[in-house]
Amino acid sequence: MRRVGIVSAGQTKFTKDDSSIESLLVSSVKPLFDESKDLSQKDIDVVLTSTNSNQKYLANIVSELSGISPRIAHSVESLCNSGTNCIVSAFSYIASGLADVALVVGAEKTDSPGLVLDWDVSRGQYKHPIYWSSLFTSSHMRKYGTTLEDLAYVSAKNHVNGRANPFSYFDRSYSFEDVMASKKLTDNVRLLDCSMPCNGSASILLASEDVANKFKEKPVWITGIGQKSISAGFTKNSDLSSMQSTSIAASDAFSMARCSPREIDVAEVHDAFSICEIMALEDLGLAERGRGAKIVRDLYETGSRKVNPRGGLIGTGHPLGATGIAQTIEAYRQICGESGKRQIDGARTALVHNMSAAATSSTVMVLRS
Amino acid sequence: MNRFEKELKEGNFVCGECPNCKNIVWPPSEYCSACLGGVIWRGASRSGTLIEYSRKNGEWFGMAEFEGKIRILGTIMSDNEPRVGQKLRLEKCGYDEGERFLFNVVGN
Ligand SMILES: [Zn+2]
């Protein structure tokens, strides 16, 4: 298997502007080319698109609009972790030798059909994601004594981090007090505990070890990948105080990367709701069971950006198909030392965690300099 | 529309069971998830157990389990706070712009 590196990336600001999915997708391809002076359209032999849009043939449309004639072009859809699934598909084409350079382009619109999984009859009338999030929260609170304050620290921290991210949807900050006082959607989920759907686009370029140096002096290598799907329906989660798919994906990713959670300098975790970041830290092995909330509070109080330096989903917005790619771009930039005000000194090893539909599936990647 | 949804529209709560491996197939499907053979539809037990709950606008909702396998989210008709492990009864089910399930608390 050949090594696969990340060699370029492009993003545009998350918004709620009126825009077509095709135009959104192409918008982040331009900045990617801008920062890769040695990249030409002819170099790209795979174009994959990540979105839950109902529009068809998007990878071919993006290719044509970008002047690329790839050998392989298709879409990848897996609700909220479409982005990392798309990166993993591109990784596989390159690692196997079928391709050398792959462009992965993700985008979503605010009114995405991927926001609610209508198929899941077991959710009854409680199909909206706030309900599974509320039941996860109840369960974690009962088992570990997690409080509404603990949840508010997740959101407040990620909003603080998001303020240093020029691509964030938000143009104002939300404090701990704002989160505590925000509208109650259920007894334990408030409006500011939720990530917000928005328009967004993010693109990333992967290349084989044979050609990566042509585009980037020091590529960032994808050294570990773990993916697990335990089900599609929410009610198949056997324990609601943890995310089984995340634990399994993390264990596989660490094993492939031959590294341990202790070596992670920076982590992008899927905070679809406040409770998800606390559970993810525990399931990824970045916190002991029941200690996730304590870690978040420490990060908040010390101003550490180690977890979700980009601002997470809560602090920047959640355009489903772009999210996993934007997370991976942050990990890439941190390792390259290109994160500006968000830079974590000396970051060498990063983790990306992206999941879907009440954690019924998860992707975890380990990136290294 | 599968049989589950058809029956639900009539207010019936059914499940598919595999005649081969006795697997109760959930989520509902015409095919057994273990052996992929056809299922036989039958009425499902309406006696369940509360797995987890929360509240929205003063109304309790939660996840209940039936026949040790079938888990669904529904509204819990109770003035008092329910508790995990509590016995519930599926009082009503139906379809109104989506599936609806209504649980009653049994005893205390
Ligand atoms: Zn069977």
Side-chain angles (χ1 to χ4, degrees):
Chain A
M1 200 161 81
R2 297 194 297 174
R3 286 203 301 166
V4 179
I6 302 172
V7 294
S8 185
Q11 268 184 282
T12 48
K13 188 170 164 57
F14 295 171
T15 68
K16 287 200 178 178
D17 299 346
D18 188 33
S19 185
S20 71
I21 189 70
E22 292 84 354
S23 150
L24 269 171
L25 283 160
V26 178
S27 70
S28 62
V29 175
K30 162 81 172 141
L32 181 146
F33 271 93
D34 284 347
E35 76 169 46
S36 302
K37 298 298 172 219
D38 295 318
L39 176 69
S40 104
Q41 283 101 326
K42 289 196 297 294
D43 293 317
I44 297 172
D45 39 20
V46 177
V47 173
L48 302 184
T49 44
S50 156
T51 178
N52 293 272
S53 162
N54 287 332
Q55 295 304 107
K56 302 302 165 206
Y57 215 41
L58 288 170
N60 291 276
I61 293 169
V62 169
S63 298
E64 175 167 7
L65 295 178
S66 313
I68 305 166
S69 306
R71 290 187 286 134
I72 298 165
H74 61 82
S75 260
V76 174
E77 177 275 308
S78 180
L79 294 180
C80 301
N81 65 8
S82 301
T84 50
N85 272 276
C86 202
I87 291 172
V88 170
S89 300
F91 175 99
S92 309
Y93 282 130
I94 295 170
S96 68
L98 211 53
D100 267 319
V101 181
L103 174 66
V104 176
V105 185
E108 204 72 55
K109 291 183 55 164
T110 309
D111 59 352
S112 167
L115 293 171
V116 174
L117 182 58
D118 288 326
W119 167 86
D120 194 355
V121 298
S122 70
R123 298 193 202 181
Q125 72 189 88
Y126 299 98
K127 287 213 170 44
H128 193 279
I130 61 165
Y131 298 111
W132 61 251
S133 147
S134 187
L135 294 178
F136 273 161
T137 305
S138 294
S139 191
H140 203 274
M141 283 178 157
R142 177 175 309 100
K143 193 159 181 182
Y144 300 114
T146 310
T147 63
L148 291 173
E149 285 78 10
D150 291 334
L151 299 171
Y153 284 116
V154 174
S155 177
K157 169 180 76 65
N158 292 346
H159 275 291
V160 167
N161 291 355
R163 293 301 295 140
N165 180 348
F167 303 114
S168 168
Y169 168 77
F170 299 99
D171 54 11
R172 58 154 291 189
S173 57
Y174 294 92
S175 67
F176 174 84
E177 288 74 23
D178 290 334
V179 183
M180 290 300 290
S182 66
K183 187 182 178 211
K184 274 197 163 197
L185 304 181
T186 71
D187 278 11
N188 56 24
V189 177
R190 295 147 302 192
L191 186 62
L192 291 175
D193 285 312
C194 310
S195 56
M196 193 176 61
C198 59
N199 290 359
S201 181
S203 292
I204 200 162
L205 191 72
L206 307 188
S208 76
E209 58 185 328
D210 301 336
V211 301
N213 290 112
K214 180 181 166 196
F215 309 110
K216 183 91 179 172
E217 195 187 334
K218 288 183 178 162
V220 169
W221 305 103
I222 299 174
T223 57
I225 293 173
Q227 288 198 299
K228 186 63 185 177
S229 175
I230 55 161
S231 65
F234 161 54
T235 59
K236 282 287 175 70
N237 273 295
S238 52
D239 172 14
L240 300 179
S241 67
S242 69
M243 306 187 291
Q244 196 192 357
S245 67
T246 293
S247 302
I248 296 169
S251 161
D252 287 352
F254 283 124
S255 150
M256 178 174 165
R258 294 201 182 96
C259 89
S260 76
R262 278 188 308 278
E263 294 168 63
I264 298 300
D265 300 313
V266 51
E268 279 289 310
V269 308
H270 193 100
D271 58 329
F273 297 92
S274 295
I275 191 65
C276 300
E277 177 163 320
I278 293 173
M279 289 166 75
L281 291 176
E282 296 170 7
D283 294 322
L284 294 165
L286 299 174
E288 285 171 46
R289 292 262 163 232
R291 301 278 292 171
K294 169 81 169 69
I295 301 271
V296 169
R297 179 142 186 199
D298 287 350
L299 294 169
Y300 174 81
E301 286 174 348
T302 58
S304 165
R305 296 184 191 275
K306 180 178 171 176
V307 176
N308 282 332
R310 186 180 70 98
L313 284 58
I314 291 177
T316 59
H318 181 26
L320 315 189
T323 286
I325 298 168
Q327 290 179 304
T328 309
I329 293 174
E330 179 71 12
Y332 163 71
R333 298 257 185 249
Q334 287 285 348
I335 292 173
C336 292
E338 298 170 358
S339 291
K341 283 190 277 182
R342 306 188 305 282
Q343 185 62 45
I344 292 155
D345 287 342
R348 292 187 62 235
T349 308
L351 177 144
V352 176
H353 163 248
N354 189 201
M355 67 180 200
S356 281
T360 50
S361 75
S362 295
T363 307
V364 174
M365 294 193 295
V366 175
L367 273 53
R368 270 196 157 160
S369 55
Chain B
M1 195 187 320
N2 68 26
R3 177 75 179 270
F4 178 83
E5 288 165 316
K6 245 181 245 165
E7 294 282 352
L8 194 66
K9 287 193 171 164
E10 306 291 318
N12 302 322
F13 184 48
V14 303
C15 65
E17 188 170 342
C18 175
N20 237 343
C21 40
K22 307 295 172 210
N23 178 26
I24 295 170
V25 179
W26 186 257
S29 167
E30 287 84 1
Y31 306 99
C32 170
S33 54
C35 71
L36 299 176
V39 301
I40 291 167
W41 293 92
R42 63 162 173 84
S45 167
R46 288 177 172 247
S47 297
T49 309
L50 183 61
I51 302 293
E52 193 51 84
Y53 65 91
S54 183
R55 186 164 60 169
K56 180 181 170 61
N57 296 336
E59 188 172 78
W60 301 104
F61 66 92
M63 186 196 294
E65 183 179 274
F66 300 84
E67 301 204 20
K69 176 83 185 263
I70 303 163
R71 287 182 167 197
I72 49 180
L73 267 56
T75 308
I76 306 165
M77 306 296 286
S78 174
D79 294 332
N80 304 320
E81 179 162 356
R83 67 185 160 74
V84 167
Q86 189 159 33
K87 296 297 165 207
L88 300 176
R89 188 175 161 72
L90 176 66
E91 208 52 54
K92 235 176 123 181
C93 61
Y95 196 95
D96 177 16
E97 295 174 1
E99 304 78 12
R100 311 232 152 200
F101 304 98
L102 214 64
F103 309 138
N104 249 334
V105 168
V106 180
N108 50 36

